[in-house]
Amino acid sequence: SLPYWKTISYQIPNYIKVELEEYNKESNEECEKYFKVIHYLDSIENPWLPEDFTLTNISIEEYVNHINSCYDDIRLSIKELKEYQNHRVYDENLWIAIKDIRNNKIVATGIGEMDNIVREGILEWVQVSKEYRRKGLGKYIVNELLFITKDKAKFVTVSSKLSNKLNPLSLYKNYGFINKQIWNIYQSNR
């Protein structure tokens, strides 16, 4: 379920097996399932930011704090997120944050990457604060990232855990992402 640049950059450890589910539907082994979908940038809604919200520049620490506040099971460090800026696919224009202008609070963030070699845009992080969900902010971030990449990329991919309780798969399908693939990740004892 990885973007191309990660596939060629990382060596999968021996204790991890990755398999496209369609090739082993009968497996009884316990695994973690991830989905991957693709958008061909053929129809993108114009990004529209709801009233009372604005784009803003924020620090790495603010990105980390916001990301961590949106998930119960993810803890990202400043060091880990700084590493994204060292990736060959780093594009500062694909780091966006939205604040509520009424209280100056960061309420949504998105981080994308751009692989100029294969012209793949990648959505890495898209999250909205719990109390601000269902207001169109996630949709805005996805559309804005697609809009920014449309002249550089041939396609955009995104992947996530299939079991995510926020159901991002249906969200991305609603935004025009297609060709769902399910990847099984098996871990054996080291």
Side-chain angles (χ1 to χ4, degrees), residues 78-103:
I78 293 171
K79 180 181 176 186
E80 287 172 310
L81 196 56
K82 277 186 179 179
E83 277 300 310
Y84 280 65
Q85 294 177 328
N86 296 325
H87 296 166
R88 73 167 177 78
V89 294
Y90 170 69
D91 184 334
E92 68 180 328
N93 296 315
L94 296 174
W95 288 50
I96 58 177
I98 298 171
K99 73 176 175 181
D100 183 335
I101 58 176
R102 297 166 295 191
N103 59 19

Side-chain angles (χ1 to χ4, degrees), residues 25-97:
K25 291 182 181 179
E26 305 302 318
S27 176
N28 291 326
E29 289 180 76
E30 205 170 299
C31 66
E32 193 142 25
K33 294 180 181 290
Y34 287 78
F35 71 84
K36 181 177 183 178
V37 287
I38 189 168
H39 195 294
Y40 288 104
L41 303 168
D42 44 4
S43 66
I44 304 169
E45 286 186 37
N46 283 331
W48 175 81
L49 192 55
E51 193 174 319
D52 294 327
F53 299 96
T54 188
L55 288 173
T56 187
N57 292 317
I58 62 174
S59 68
I60 293 275
E61 184 175 359
E62 289 172 300
Y63 273 104
V64 167
N65 289 340
H66 183 258
I67 291 168
N68 288 340
S69 74
C70 292
Y71 301 99
D72 297 327
D73 59 343
I74 293 176
R75 285 293 158 250
L76 187 65
S77 72
I78 293 171
K79 180 181 176 186
E80 287 172 310
L81 196 56
K82 277 186 179 179
E83 277 300 310
Y84 280 65
Q85 294 177 328
N86 296 325
H87 296 166
R88 73 167 177 78
V89 294
Y90 170 69
D91 184 334
E92 68 180 328
N93 296 315
L94 296 174
W95 288 50
I96 58 177

